[in-house]
Amino acid sequence: MGMKALLGLARFMAPFAAAAAAGTVLSSAGAVNMYWVQIFQLACITAVSALGLNVIYGFTGLFSLGHAAFYGIGAYGAALLMKTGGGESQAFFLASLLAGGAGAALIAWLVGLSTLRLTSDYLGIATLGFGIIMKVVFDNADAFLPQLGGARGMTGIPKMTGVAWAVMFLGAFLFAARNLVHSSYGRALVAIREDEVAAGAAGIDTFRYKLAGFVVGCSFAGVAGGLYAHLYAFLHPSNFDFFKSVDVLMIVVLGGLGNMSGTLVASFGWIFLLEGLRVALPPDYIELRWVLIPVLLVVTMLRRPQGLFGIREFRFLRDASE
Amino acid sequence: MNILEASGLAKNFGGIKALNGVDLQVGVGELAGMIGPNGSGKTTVFNVITGIYRPDRGTVTLGGKRISGLPPHSISRLGIARTFQNIRLFRNLSAMDNVRAACHPDVRYGPISAVCRSEGFHAGEREIREKAMDLLSLFSLQDRRDDLARNLPYGDQRRLEIARALASEPDLLLLDEPAAGMNASEVGKLMEFILEIRTRYKLAILLIEHQMRLVMGICERIVVMDFGEVIARGTPREIRNDPRVIEAYLGKESKDGK
Amino acid sequence: MDYFLQQVVNGLQLGFVYALIALGYTMVYGIVRLINFAHGDVFMVGAFIGLYAIEGARLPLAAVFLLAICGCALLAVAMERIAYRPLRNAPRIASLITAIGVSLFLEYFTSLRQVFGPNFYPFPRPFAISAWEFRNFAITNIQAIIFTVTLCCLVLLQFVVRKTRLGRAMRAVSHDHVTAGLMGVNVDLTISVTFGLGAALAGVGGVLYGFAYPQVNTFMGVMPGLKAFTAAVLGGIGSIPGAVLGGLIMGQSETLTSAYLSSTYRDGIAFLILILVLLLRPTGILGTQRTEKV
C-alpha cells in the first residue's frame, strides 16, 4: 500500500479511532452504563453484518435469506478457537475473528457454487433452507464437538470484544465496502444486479462475480459473528435462526438497498429502538415491542418502499476516487 | 475474409423451431443487414451468436475460432458486442457508469488494489474514465453523463447502448433494431452515424432492422429470414427484387391478382 | 416393516396438512408473485378459532370448520387489502418485507395476554380417539378425518380452478394481470378471492393440525409455514398439484427422519431435500420453466 493510500486509510479511520478511544475511556471509567455500552457494540457488530448483506443483496442483487447462518459460522468458529487456544491474547483474538470470517467465506463459496444459478425467489428459499440446516447443525454440534455446546449453548468464551474492537472493525469494513463499491468491481456487481444478461454481454463473468459478491458479504457476517460471540460470551443456536436472517434483511431494506449510509443508520436505529423500547415500556408490556416494530415496518414500506436512504450517501462514503 | 461464420444453426424452444438450419457470414469490416418478418428468428440468431442460447445444432466461428458453446462473457471478450431489441441498459446507473461497467473486463487493477486505493487503482480509474468520456462525447452524451439511464430520453438511451457496446472494442458489432421508434430525420442521422463508427472503430456490423430505408441505404449485403430459415441473401438491389422476399413480407399473390 | 408402514401413514397425516397450507402459498405466489410470509400465521389463527369454537362455543365439527374457513378468509382478505394491495406496483422486496411485518405482528399481537395469550394451550378433542387396525398398520379416526377433509378440499379446489369462471380468472391473472384486466377480469376481486381461498384451506389445516397435535401457541405457524412454503417450491411454485406433492414429500421426510434418525434432525433433512431438488430441477418438480425472452 503506497503512501497516498495509507494516508487515505488513516484519514478515513481517524474519526473511528477517536470514537474507539473515547468509548474505551468512558466505559472503563464507568461514566456510561455498561448495558448501553454493550448495546452500542452490538449496533456496530450488526452494522458490519448488515453491510455484508447489503453487498450481497443491495449491490449484487442476490436474495439471501440465510445470512444469520454465516454470522453463526463465524461466531462458533472464532469462539471455538479462542476458547480452546487463545487465553486472553488480543493477537489471537484478531486471528480467531479473521479465521471465523474465512470459515464463513469458505462455506459461502460452497453454498454459492451450488445455489447461485437459481433465480431470485428460488435462491431465497435455498438460502433459507441452508440457514435452517445450519441451525440444526448448531443444535447438534455438541455431538461431534462437545465444547460447542449444542442446544444447551456454548459457554466459556472469553469476553474479548470491547468498544475499540467494535468501532475499529466497523470503520475498517465501511472503508472496504466503500472502496469496493466505488470501483470497477463494484460497478460490475451492480451491473449484474441491474441486468444480468446485459452484464454478461458486456463481458462480465456473471457467475464468478455473483459468487465473489456472495463470499465477500458472508465474510463480513463471519467476522461480525466472531465479535458477537466475544461480546456476550455465550452462544445459543437460536441466535442464528431464520428470524435473525429476517432481522438483518429488514435492516438492509429499511436503510435502502444498495446504500451503505442507510445500512449504518438502520442498524443503529434498529438496535437502539429495540433496546430503547425494552427500557421505555413497562415490564409487563415488553413484548409490545414486537407488536410495535412490525407496525412501524409495514408503515415504512407502505410510505417509502425504497427505504430511508435512496441513492445519496454520507460524504465519507461517497465516491472520492478523483 | 470472414469475421463471423455460422453454419447449420438450429434452435428449438419446446415445440417451436426458432431456427432451422441457418448459414450466415459477415466479412471483416462489412456492414451487413438481417431482415425478415417478426418472429422469423433474427434476434434468436443474435442470441445464439452471442452465447445466450446454445444452438441445438450447428457452429459459430469468430475469426476462425469456434465460439458456439462458450458463455456470453467469453464471446464478448473475443470481440463481439451487441445491443438489444428492448434496450437493456443498467437503468439505475448513470450513463457514465453504464459505459464504465462495460470497460470492466479490461480493468488494470485487482480488487485488492481497489480496496487499498493504490496508485494502480487511481491510474486504472483514470484510464476507464477517459475511455468512457471519449465514447460519451462521440455519442454527444457527455453532458448527460451523470443522469441515470432510466431518466434519459429514448434516443439517448439507444445511443448509450451502442456506446456501451463499443467500450469492449469489438471486431463485430451486432445491432438489434437500432432505429426502432425513430422518425425519418433521426434514421438519417443514425445511418451516417453507423457508417462513421464502422470506419472509425474498424468494425464489422450486422444489424437487424425493419426500416428499409436504413437497411437498403447502408448495408452492403443483406440476409433475409423467414420461419427460422434464410430465404434469400445478396446485395440490396438483388434482395429488393427477389420474389421470395416480397412473398415473405407481403404474402403470396393470388391467382386473380387480388 | 409394520413400523415403516405406520410411519408412512403418520407422514401422510402431516403431509396432507402441509399440503393444505402449501396450496395457499402457491396460489398467492402464482397470482401476485408474493411469498406471503403471514400465511403460516393464518393457519395459526385457524387453529385458535377451532380451539374457541370447540371449547368455548361447543359447536359441532362442521360449524367449527366453517367458522375457521370464514375467519381465516376474512383475515387474509383484510391483509391483502391493507398491506399488500398498495404495494402491488412497488419493488417486490417491499411486499415481502411487509409480509414479514404482518407475520410478526400477527404472532406477537395474538400472543398478548389480552388476545390469545403467550402460552401453549391444549386443543380439545370433542371425540374419543379410535383406530382401524389393518394387518400391518393402524389408521386413527383423526387421521381418517384429515385424509377425507383434505381430499375433499383438493377436489373442490380443482373444481373451482378448472371448471368455474373464477378459476379461469385466477389462471388468467396469474399469467398476465394487465391483459386479464383489459379482457374484463376484475383483477382486484380475483386476487382477493385467491387470498381468501388459500386462507380458507389454511384455516381447515389449522383445525386438523389441532386435532392431530393438540397443542396450540401463537408461534405454531412459523415452522409449518416455512415448511409448507418450501413444499410449494419443491413441487413447483405456482402449481397446485405441485403444492400437494411437495407437502406430502415434506411430511413424509420429516416423519421418517424422526422415526429412523432423530427428531432433532428432521427440520434439516426436509430442507436438505429441498436444496437437492432445486439443484436438479431449479423450478421445482412440477414447475414450469420460465424462459426469459431476451
Side-chain angles (χ1 to χ4, degrees), chain A residues 57 63 114 118 121-122 125-126 128-129 132-133 136 140 242 246 253 287 290-291 294-295 297-298 301-302 305, chain C residues 29 37 87 92-94 96 98 100-101 104-105 108-109 226 229 233 237 264-265 268 271-272 275 278-279 282-283:
Chain A
Y57 188 35
F63 186 44
S114 31
L118 298 170
D121 288 336
Y122 292 96
I125 197 73
L128 186 158
I132 297 197
I133 292 172
V136 170
N140 294 289
F242 174 65
V246 165
V253 174
E287 287 311 309
W290 285 105
V291 177
V295 171
L297 192 67
V298 173
M301 283 294 108
L302 287 172
Chain C
Y29 185 89
F37 273 105
L87 290 171
R92 278 182 56 215
I93 183 66
L96 204 83
T98 304
I100 295 176
L104 287 171
F105 174 76
Y108 282 96
F109 179 72
L226 273 181
F229 178 63
V233 171
I237 193 87
T264 48
Y265 294 138
F271 288 99
L272 200 58
I275 293 186
L278 281 182
L279 289 179
T283 47

Short mmCIF file of all heavy atoms in Angstrom, two decimals, chain A residues 57 63 114 118 121-122 125-126 128-129 132-133 136 140 242 246 253 287 290-291 294-295 297-298 301-302 305, chain C residues 29 37 87 92-94 96 98 100-101 104-105 108-109 226 229 233 237 264-265 268 271-272 275 278-279 282-283:
data_model
loop_
_atom_site.label_atom_id
_atom_site.label_comp_id
_atom_site.label_asym_id
_atom_site.label_seq_id
_atom_site.Cartn_x
_atom_site.Cartn_y
_atom_site.Cartn_z
N TYR A 57 -27.12 -8.43 -1.37
CA TYR A 57 -28.44 -8.19 -1.93
C TYR A 57 -28.59 -6.80 -2.52
O TYR A 57 -29.07 -6.64 -3.63
CB TYR A 57 -29.50 -8.42 -0.84
CG TYR A 57 -30.91 -8.38 -1.35
CD1 TYR A 57 -31.23 -8.86 -2.62
CD2 TYR A 57 -31.94 -7.88 -0.57
CE1 TYR A 57 -32.53 -8.82 -3.09
CE2 TYR A 57 -33.24 -7.86 -1.04
CZ TYR A 57 -33.53 -8.32 -2.29
OH TYR A 57 -34.81 -8.28 -2.76
N PHE A 63 -30.76 -12.54 -3.56
CA PHE A 63 -31.70 -12.58 -2.47
C PHE A 63 -31.32 -13.71 -1.51
O PHE A 63 -31.62 -14.87 -1.75
CB PHE A 63 -33.11 -12.80 -3.04
CG PHE A 63 -34.19 -12.72 -2.03
CD1 PHE A 63 -34.20 -11.72 -1.08
CD2 PHE A 63 -35.22 -13.63 -2.03
CE1 PHE A 63 -35.21 -11.63 -0.14
CE2 PHE A 63 -36.26 -13.55 -1.10
CZ PHE A 63 -36.25 -12.55 -0.16
N SER A 114 -23.27 -24.03 -5.48
CA SER A 114 -24.42 -24.88 -5.77
C SER A 114 -25.70 -24.11 -5.98
O SER A 114 -26.56 -24.55 -6.73
CB SER A 114 -24.60 -25.93 -4.68
OG SER A 114 -24.18 -25.44 -3.43
N LEU A 118 -29.59 -20.41 -9.30
CA LEU A 118 -31.04 -20.32 -9.16
C LEU A 118 -31.49 -18.88 -9.29
O LEU A 118 -30.77 -17.96 -8.93
CB LEU A 118 -31.46 -20.86 -7.78
CG LEU A 118 -31.14 -22.33 -7.52
CD1 LEU A 118 -31.37 -22.64 -6.04
CD2 LEU A 118 -31.99 -23.21 -8.39
N ASP A 121 -36.26 -15.82 -6.37
CA ASP A 121 -37.05 -16.38 -5.28
C ASP A 121 -36.54 -17.75 -4.87
O ASP A 121 -36.56 -18.12 -3.70
CB ASP A 121 -38.52 -16.49 -5.69
CG ASP A 121 -39.17 -15.12 -5.75
OD1 ASP A 121 -38.68 -14.20 -5.08
OD2 ASP A 121 -40.17 -14.97 -6.46
N TYR A 122 -36.10 -18.52 -5.85
CA TYR A 122 -35.59 -19.85 -5.55
C TYR A 122 -34.28 -19.76 -4.77
O TYR A 122 -34.02 -20.58 -3.90
CB TYR A 122 -35.39 -20.66 -6.82
CG TYR A 122 -36.69 -21.01 -7.50
CD1 TYR A 122 -37.18 -20.24 -8.54
CD2 TYR A 122 -37.43 -22.10 -7.08
CE1 TYR A 122 -38.38 -20.54 -9.15
CE2 TYR A 122 -38.63 -22.42 -7.69
CZ TYR A 122 -39.09 -21.63 -8.71
OH TYR A 122 -40.28 -21.94 -9.32
N ILE A 125 -35.22 -19.14 -1.20
CA ILE A 125 -35.67 -20.29 -0.46
C ILE A 125 -34.52 -21.28 -0.23
O ILE A 125 -34.45 -21.94 0.82
CB ILE A 125 -36.88 -20.96 -1.18
CG1 ILE A 125 -37.62 -21.89 -0.23
CG2 ILE A 125 -36.50 -21.72 -2.38
CD1 ILE A 125 -38.41 -21.16 0.80
N ALA A 126 -33.60 -21.36 -1.17
CA ALA A 126 -32.46 -22.26 -0.97
C ALA A 126 -31.57 -21.76 0.16
O ALA A 126 -31.11 -22.55 1.00
CB ALA A 126 -31.64 -22.37 -2.26
N LEU A 128 -32.57 -19.85 2.57
CA LEU A 128 -33.37 -20.04 3.78
C LEU A 128 -33.19 -21.47 4.28
O LEU A 128 -32.97 -21.71 5.48
CB LEU A 128 -34.85 -19.78 3.46
CG LEU A 128 -35.89 -19.79 4.56
CD1 LEU A 128 -37.11 -19.00 4.11
CD2 LEU A 128 -36.32 -21.18 4.94
N GLY A 129 -33.28 -22.41 3.35
CA GLY A 129 -33.09 -23.82 3.70
C GLY A 129 -31.72 -24.07 4.29
O GLY A 129 -31.57 -24.77 5.30
N ILE A 132 -31.59 -22.93 7.84
CA ILE A 132 -32.23 -23.84 8.79
C ILE A 132 -31.37 -25.08 9.01
O ILE A 132 -31.25 -25.58 10.14
CB ILE A 132 -33.63 -24.21 8.30
CG1 ILE A 132 -34.48 -22.94 8.25
CG2 ILE A 132 -34.26 -25.29 9.17
CD1 ILE A 132 -35.94 -23.13 8.19
N ILE A 133 -30.75 -25.55 7.96
CA ILE A 133 -29.83 -26.69 8.10
C ILE A 133 -28.71 -26.33 9.06
O ILE A 133 -28.35 -27.12 9.94
CB ILE A 133 -29.27 -27.11 6.72
CG1 ILE A 133 -30.38 -27.71 5.87
CG2 ILE A 133 -28.13 -28.09 6.88
CD1 ILE A 133 -29.97 -27.98 4.45
N VAL A 136 -29.82 -26.45 12.59
CA VAL A 136 -29.87 -27.84 13.06
C VAL A 136 -28.45 -28.33 13.38
O VAL A 136 -28.22 -29.02 14.38
CB VAL A 136 -30.54 -28.74 12.00
CG1 VAL A 136 -30.39 -30.21 12.36
CG2 VAL A 136 -32.01 -28.39 11.86
N ASN A 140 -27.03 -29.50 17.08
CA ASN A 140 -26.48 -30.83 17.33
C ASN A 140 -24.96 -30.86 17.33
O ASN A 140 -24.35 -31.91 17.31
CB ASN A 140 -26.99 -31.79 16.24
CG ASN A 140 -28.49 -31.98 16.35
OD1 ASN A 140 -28.96 -32.61 17.28
ND2 ASN A 140 -29.21 -31.41 15.42
N PHE A 242 -33.80 -18.42 11.53
CA PHE A 242 -34.40 -17.70 10.41
C PHE A 242 -34.81 -16.28 10.81
O PHE A 242 -34.66 -15.34 10.03
CB PHE A 242 -35.60 -18.50 9.89
CG PHE A 242 -36.38 -17.79 8.83
CD1 PHE A 242 -35.81 -17.51 7.60
CD2 PHE A 242 -37.69 -17.39 9.05
CE1 PHE A 242 -36.52 -16.85 6.62
CE2 PHE A 242 -38.41 -16.74 8.06
CZ PHE A 242 -37.81 -16.46 6.85
N VAL A 246 -33.99 -12.72 9.00
CA VAL A 246 -35.02 -11.75 8.65
C VAL A 246 -34.70 -10.38 9.23
O VAL A 246 -34.85 -9.36 8.57
CB VAL A 246 -36.40 -12.26 9.15
CG1 VAL A 246 -37.41 -11.14 9.13
CG2 VAL A 246 -36.87 -13.40 8.29
N VAL A 253 -33.15 -3.49 4.04
CA VAL A 253 -34.21 -2.94 3.20
C VAL A 253 -34.68 -1.60 3.74
O VAL A 253 -34.90 -0.66 2.99
CB VAL A 253 -35.40 -3.91 3.09
CG1 VAL A 253 -36.55 -3.27 2.33
CG2 VAL A 253 -34.97 -5.19 2.40
N GLU A 287 -43.16 -7.24 25.57
CA GLU A 287 -43.38 -7.91 24.30
C GLU A 287 -44.14 -7.04 23.32
O GLU A 287 -44.24 -7.37 22.14
CB GLU A 287 -44.10 -9.24 24.51
CG GLU A 287 -43.19 -10.31 25.13
CD GLU A 287 -41.86 -10.41 24.39
OE1 GLU A 287 -41.87 -10.53 23.15
OE2 GLU A 287 -40.80 -10.35 25.04
N TRP A 290 -42.51 -6.06 19.98
CA TRP A 290 -42.62 -6.83 18.76
C TRP A 290 -43.97 -6.70 18.09
O TRP A 290 -44.20 -7.25 17.02
CB TRP A 290 -42.29 -8.31 19.03
CG TRP A 290 -40.83 -8.46 19.20
CD1 TRP A 290 -40.14 -8.64 20.36
CD2 TRP A 290 -39.85 -8.37 18.17
NE1 TRP A 290 -38.80 -8.68 20.11
CE2 TRP A 290 -38.58 -8.51 18.78
CE3 TRP A 290 -39.92 -8.18 16.79
CZ2 TRP A 290 -37.39 -8.48 18.05
CZ3 TRP A 290 -38.73 -8.15 16.06
CH2 TRP A 290 -37.49 -8.29 16.70
N VAL A 291 -44.86 -5.96 18.73
CA VAL A 291 -46.09 -5.61 18.05
C VAL A 291 -45.89 -4.25 17.37
O VAL A 291 -46.31 -4.03 16.24
CB VAL A 291 -47.27 -5.52 19.06
CG1 VAL A 291 -48.53 -5.08 18.36
CG2 VAL A 291 -47.46 -6.85 19.74
N PRO A 294 -43.18 -4.36 14.03
CA PRO A 294 -43.72 -4.72 12.72
C PRO A 294 -44.67 -3.68 12.15
O PRO A 294 -44.71 -3.47 10.94
CB PRO A 294 -44.46 -6.04 12.96
CG PRO A 294 -44.16 -6.47 14.31
CD PRO A 294 -43.41 -5.44 15.02
N VAL A 295 -45.44 -3.03 13.03
CA VAL A 295 -46.33 -1.99 12.53
C VAL A 295 -45.50 -0.88 11.89
O VAL A 295 -45.79 -0.40 10.80
CB VAL A 295 -47.20 -1.42 13.67
CG1 VAL A 295 -47.95 -0.19 13.19
CG2 VAL A 295 -48.18 -2.46 14.18
N LEU A 297 -42.59 -1.18 10.65
CA LEU A 297 -42.03 -1.75 9.44
C LEU A 297 -43.02 -1.64 8.27
O LEU A 297 -42.69 -1.16 7.19
CB LEU A 297 -41.72 -3.22 9.71
CG LEU A 297 -40.87 -3.96 8.70
CD1 LEU A 297 -39.49 -3.40 8.70
CD2 LEU A 297 -40.83 -5.43 9.08
N VAL A 298 -44.24 -2.09 8.53
CA VAL A 298 -45.25 -2.10 7.47
C VAL A 298 -45.53 -0.67 7.02
O VAL A 298 -45.62 -0.38 5.82
CB VAL A 298 -46.55 -2.79 7.95
CG1 VAL A 298 -47.63 -2.64 6.90
CG2 VAL A 298 -46.29 -4.26 8.23
N MET A 301 -42.77 0.61 4.84
CA MET A 301 -42.81 0.04 3.49
C MET A 301 -43.93 0.64 2.67
O MET A 301 -43.79 0.85 1.47
CB MET A 301 -42.97 -1.48 3.57
CG MET A 301 -41.69 -2.21 3.93
SD MET A 301 -40.43 -2.06 2.66
CE MET A 301 -39.29 -0.96 3.42
N LEU A 302 -45.04 0.93 3.32
CA LEU A 302 -46.15 1.50 2.58
C LEU A 302 -45.85 2.92 2.14
O LEU A 302 -46.26 3.36 1.07
CB LEU A 302 -47.44 1.47 3.43
CG LEU A 302 -48.07 0.08 3.60
CD1 LEU A 302 -49.20 0.13 4.61
CD2 LEU A 302 -48.58 -0.43 2.28
N PRO A 305 -41.20 2.66 0.11
CA PRO A 305 -40.71 1.30 -0.18
C PRO A 305 -39.24 1.24 -0.58
O PRO A 305 -38.64 0.17 -0.50
CB PRO A 305 -41.60 0.84 -1.35
CG PRO A 305 -42.35 2.01 -1.81
CD PRO A 305 -42.30 3.06 -0.76
N TYR C 29 -48.66 -16.94 -4.59
CA TYR C 29 -47.45 -16.66 -5.36
C TYR C 29 -47.75 -16.67 -6.84
O TYR C 29 -47.27 -15.84 -7.60
CB TYR C 29 -46.35 -17.68 -5.05
CG TYR C 29 -45.05 -17.34 -5.74
CD1 TYR C 29 -44.11 -16.52 -5.13
CD2 TYR C 29 -44.77 -17.84 -7.02
CE1 TYR C 29 -42.93 -16.19 -5.76
CE2 TYR C 29 -43.59 -17.51 -7.65
CZ TYR C 29 -42.68 -16.69 -7.03
OH TYR C 29 -41.51 -16.36 -7.66
N PHE C 37 -45.44 -14.42 3.75
CA PHE C 37 -44.92 -14.96 4.99
C PHE C 37 -45.96 -15.04 6.09
O PHE C 37 -45.81 -15.80 7.03
CB PHE C 37 -43.75 -14.09 5.49
CG PHE C 37 -42.44 -14.50 4.91
CD1 PHE C 37 -41.83 -13.76 3.92
CD2 PHE C 37 -41.82 -15.66 5.34
CE1 PHE C 37 -40.62 -14.15 3.37
CE2 PHE C 37 -40.61 -16.06 4.80
CZ PHE C 37 -40.02 -15.29 3.81
N LEU C 87 -48.96 -2.01 -2.38
CA LEU C 87 -47.58 -2.18 -2.83
C LEU C 87 -47.49 -2.99 -4.11
O LEU C 87 -46.41 -3.44 -4.48
CB LEU C 87 -46.77 -2.88 -1.72
CG LEU C 87 -46.54 -2.01 -0.50
CD1 LEU C 87 -45.93 -2.84 0.61
CD2 LEU C 87 -45.62 -0.86 -0.83
N ARG C 92 -40.67 -5.57 -5.51
CA ARG C 92 -41.20 -6.77 -4.87
C ARG C 92 -40.71 -6.95 -3.46
O ARG C 92 -41.41 -7.52 -2.63
CB ARG C 92 -40.86 -8.00 -5.73
CG ARG C 92 -41.85 -8.17 -6.85
CD ARG C 92 -41.56 -9.37 -7.66
NE ARG C 92 -41.52 -10.55 -6.82
CZ ARG C 92 -40.70 -11.58 -7.02
NH1 ARG C 92 -39.88 -11.56 -8.03
NH2 ARG C 92 -40.71 -12.60 -6.21
N ILE C 93 -39.50 -6.51 -3.19
CA ILE C 93 -38.95 -6.71 -1.85
C ILE C 93 -39.79 -5.96 -0.82
O ILE C 93 -39.90 -6.39 0.33
CB ILE C 93 -37.47 -6.27 -1.79
CG1 ILE C 93 -36.88 -6.55 -0.43
CG2 ILE C 93 -37.32 -4.81 -2.11
CD1 ILE C 93 -36.76 -7.99 -0.06
N ALA C 94 -40.41 -4.86 -1.23
CA ALA C 94 -41.23 -4.10 -0.28
C ALA C 94 -42.42 -4.95 0.17
O ALA C 94 -42.74 -4.99 1.36
CB ALA C 94 -41.71 -2.80 -0.92
N LEU C 96 -42.54 -8.15 0.22
CA LEU C 96 -42.01 -9.25 1.01
C LEU C 96 -41.77 -8.82 2.44
O LEU C 96 -42.15 -9.50 3.40
CB LEU C 96 -40.69 -9.70 0.39
CG LEU C 96 -40.33 -11.10 0.72
CD1 LEU C 96 -41.04 -12.02 -0.23
CD2 LEU C 96 -38.84 -11.31 0.62
N THR C 98 -43.09 -6.34 3.94
CA THR C 98 -44.39 -6.07 4.55
C THR C 98 -45.03 -7.37 5.01
O THR C 98 -45.62 -7.43 6.09
CB THR C 98 -45.32 -5.36 3.54
OG1 THR C 98 -44.68 -4.18 3.09
CG2 THR C 98 -46.64 -5.02 4.17
N ILE C 100 -43.53 -10.02 5.94
CA ILE C 100 -42.82 -10.41 7.16
C ILE C 100 -43.33 -9.59 8.34
O ILE C 100 -43.57 -10.11 9.43
CB ILE C 100 -41.30 -10.22 6.99
CG1 ILE C 100 -40.77 -11.18 5.93
CG2 ILE C 100 -40.58 -10.42 8.31
CD1 ILE C 100 -39.30 -11.01 5.63
N GLY C 101 -43.54 -8.30 8.10
CA GLY C 101 -44.06 -7.44 9.16
C GLY C 101 -45.44 -7.87 9.63
O GLY C 101 -45.71 -7.95 10.83
N LEU C 104 -45.04 -11.06 11.74
CA LEU C 104 -44.58 -10.79 13.10
C LEU C 104 -45.69 -10.16 13.93
O LEU C 104 -45.89 -10.50 15.09
CB LEU C 104 -43.37 -9.86 13.06
CG LEU C 104 -42.06 -10.48 12.58
CD1 LEU C 104 -41.01 -9.40 12.39
CD2 LEU C 104 -41.57 -11.51 13.59
N PHE C 105 -46.40 -9.23 13.30
CA PHE C 105 -47.47 -8.56 14.02
C PHE C 105 -48.51 -9.57 14.49
O PHE C 105 -48.90 -9.57 15.66
CB PHE C 105 -48.12 -7.49 13.13
CG PHE C 105 -49.33 -6.86 13.75
CD1 PHE C 105 -49.19 -5.93 14.76
CD2 PHE C 105 -50.60 -7.24 13.36
CE1 PHE C 105 -50.31 -5.35 15.35
CE2 PHE C 105 -51.72 -6.68 13.94
CZ PHE C 105 -51.57 -5.73 14.95
N TYR C 108 -47.07 -11.75 17.42
CA TYR C 108 -46.88 -11.10 18.71
C TYR C 108 -48.16 -10.47 19.25
O TYR C 108 -48.39 -10.45 20.45
CB TYR C 108 -45.75 -10.06 18.63
CG TYR C 108 -44.39 -10.71 18.67
CD1 TYR C 108 -43.70 -11.00 17.51
CD2 TYR C 108 -43.82 -11.06 19.89
CE1 TYR C 108 -42.46 -11.63 17.54
CE2 TYR C 108 -42.58 -11.68 19.94
CZ TYR C 108 -41.92 -11.96 18.76
OH TYR C 108 -40.70 -12.58 18.81
N PHE C 109 -48.96 -9.94 18.35
CA PHE C 109 -50.21 -9.33 18.80
C PHE C 109 -51.10 -10.39 19.45
O PHE C 109 -51.68 -10.18 20.51
CB PHE C 109 -50.92 -8.64 17.64
CG PHE C 109 -52.21 -8.00 18.02
CD1 PHE C 109 -52.23 -6.85 18.78
CD2 PHE C 109 -53.43 -8.56 17.62
CE1 PHE C 109 -53.42 -6.26 19.15
CE2 PHE C 109 -54.62 -7.97 17.99
CZ PHE C 109 -54.63 -6.82 18.75
N LEU C 226 -43.04 -22.19 7.09
CA LEU C 226 -41.81 -22.28 6.32
C LEU C 226 -41.75 -23.59 5.55
O LEU C 226 -41.37 -23.62 4.38
CB LEU C 226 -40.60 -22.22 7.25
CG LEU C 226 -40.06 -20.83 7.60
CD1 LEU C 226 -38.86 -20.98 8.51
CD2 LEU C 226 -39.68 -20.07 6.35
N PHE C 229 -44.21 -23.58 2.71
CA PHE C 229 -43.74 -22.79 1.60
C PHE C 229 -42.65 -23.54 0.85
O PHE C 229 -42.61 -23.56 -0.39
CB PHE C 229 -43.21 -21.43 2.06
CG PHE C 229 -42.67 -20.64 0.92
CD1 PHE C 229 -43.48 -20.24 -0.11
CD2 PHE C 229 -41.32 -20.34 0.84
CE1 PHE C 229 -42.99 -19.54 -1.19
CE2 PHE C 229 -40.81 -19.64 -0.24
CZ PHE C 229 -41.65 -19.25 -1.25
N VAL C 233 -42.49 -24.72 -3.11
CA VAL C 233 -41.36 -24.51 -4.03
C VAL C 233 -40.85 -25.83 -4.55
O VAL C 233 -40.56 -26.00 -5.73
CB VAL C 233 -40.21 -23.76 -3.31
CG1 VAL C 233 -38.97 -23.73 -4.18
CG2 VAL C 233 -40.64 -22.36 -2.96
N ILE C 237 -43.41 -23.87 -7.60
CA ILE C 237 -44.24 -22.80 -7.07
C ILE C 237 -45.21 -22.32 -8.15
O ILE C 237 -44.87 -22.13 -9.31
CB ILE C 237 -43.38 -21.63 -6.54
CG1 ILE C 237 -44.22 -20.67 -5.72
CG2 ILE C 237 -42.69 -20.88 -7.66
CD1 ILE C 237 -44.35 -21.03 -4.30
N THR C 264 -34.33 -34.37 16.20
CA THR C 264 -33.62 -33.10 16.12
C THR C 264 -33.11 -32.81 14.71
O THR C 264 -32.80 -31.68 14.37
CB THR C 264 -32.41 -33.05 17.08
OG1 THR C 264 -31.67 -34.26 16.91
CG2 THR C 264 -32.86 -32.91 18.51
N TYR C 265 -33.03 -33.87 13.88
CA TYR C 265 -32.54 -33.62 12.53
C TYR C 265 -33.67 -33.32 11.54
O TYR C 265 -33.41 -32.96 10.41
CB TYR C 265 -31.78 -34.85 12.01
CG TYR C 265 -30.51 -35.16 12.74
CD1 TYR C 265 -30.16 -36.46 13.05
CD2 TYR C 265 -29.64 -34.14 13.12
CE1 TYR C 265 -29.00 -36.75 13.73
CE2 TYR C 265 -28.48 -34.41 13.79
CZ TYR C 265 -28.15 -35.72 14.10
OH TYR C 265 -26.99 -36.01 14.76
N GLY C 268 -33.76 -30.20 9.40
CA GLY C 268 -32.63 -30.13 8.50
C GLY C 268 -32.82 -31.00 7.27
O GLY C 268 -32.54 -30.59 6.15
N PHE C 271 -35.15 -29.61 4.55
CA PHE C 271 -34.59 -28.55 3.73
C PHE C 271 -33.43 -29.04 2.87
O PHE C 271 -33.18 -28.50 1.79
CB PHE C 271 -34.16 -27.37 4.60
CG PHE C 271 -35.33 -26.61 5.14
CD1 PHE C 271 -35.79 -26.82 6.43
CD2 PHE C 271 -36.02 -25.73 4.35
CE1 PHE C 271 -36.89 -26.16 6.91
CE2 PHE C 271 -37.13 -25.05 4.82
CZ PHE C 271 -37.56 -25.26 6.10
N LEU C 272 -32.76 -30.07 3.33
CA LEU C 272 -31.71 -30.66 2.52
C LEU C 272 -32.31 -31.24 1.24
O LEU C 272 -31.79 -31.07 0.14
CB LEU C 272 -31.01 -31.76 3.33
CG LEU C 272 -29.63 -32.17 2.88
CD1 LEU C 272 -28.70 -30.97 2.90
CD2 LEU C 272 -29.09 -33.24 3.80
N ILE C 275 -33.02 -28.43 -1.18
CA ILE C 275 -31.86 -27.91 -1.90
C ILE C 275 -31.44 -28.89 -2.99
O ILE C 275 -31.14 -28.49 -4.12
CB ILE C 275 -30.69 -27.63 -0.93
CG1 ILE C 275 -31.08 -26.47 -0.02
CG2 ILE C 275 -29.42 -27.32 -1.68
CD1 ILE C 275 -29.98 -26.01 0.88
N LEU C 278 -33.83 -28.58 -5.88
CA LEU C 278 -33.63 -27.33 -6.62
C LEU C 278 -32.38 -27.40 -7.49
O LEU C 278 -32.32 -26.80 -8.56
CB LEU C 278 -33.54 -26.14 -5.67
CG LEU C 278 -34.86 -25.61 -5.14
CD1 LEU C 278 -34.61 -24.41 -4.25
CD2 LEU C 278 -35.80 -25.24 -6.26
N LEU C 279 -31.37 -28.12 -7.03
CA LEU C 279 -30.15 -28.22 -7.83
C LEU C 279 -30.43 -29.00 -9.11
O LEU C 279 -29.88 -28.70 -10.16
CB LEU C 279 -29.04 -28.91 -7.03
CG LEU C 279 -28.47 -28.08 -5.89
CD1 LEU C 279 -27.39 -28.85 -5.16
CD2 LEU C 279 -27.88 -26.79 -6.43
N PRO C 282 -34.38 -26.71 -11.06
CA PRO C 282 -34.39 -25.38 -10.44
C PRO C 282 -35.77 -24.75 -10.29
O PRO C 282 -35.92 -23.82 -9.51
CB PRO C 282 -33.55 -24.53 -11.40
CG PRO C 282 -32.76 -25.48 -12.18
CD PRO C 282 -33.52 -26.75 -12.27
N THR C 283 -36.79 -25.27 -11.02
CA THR C 283 -38.09 -24.66 -10.83
C THR C 283 -39.04 -25.59 -10.08
O THR C 283 -40.24 -25.42 -10.12
CB THR C 283 -38.73 -24.25 -12.16
OG1 THR C 283 -38.62 -25.34 -13.08
CG2 THR C 283 -38.05 -23.04 -12.75
#
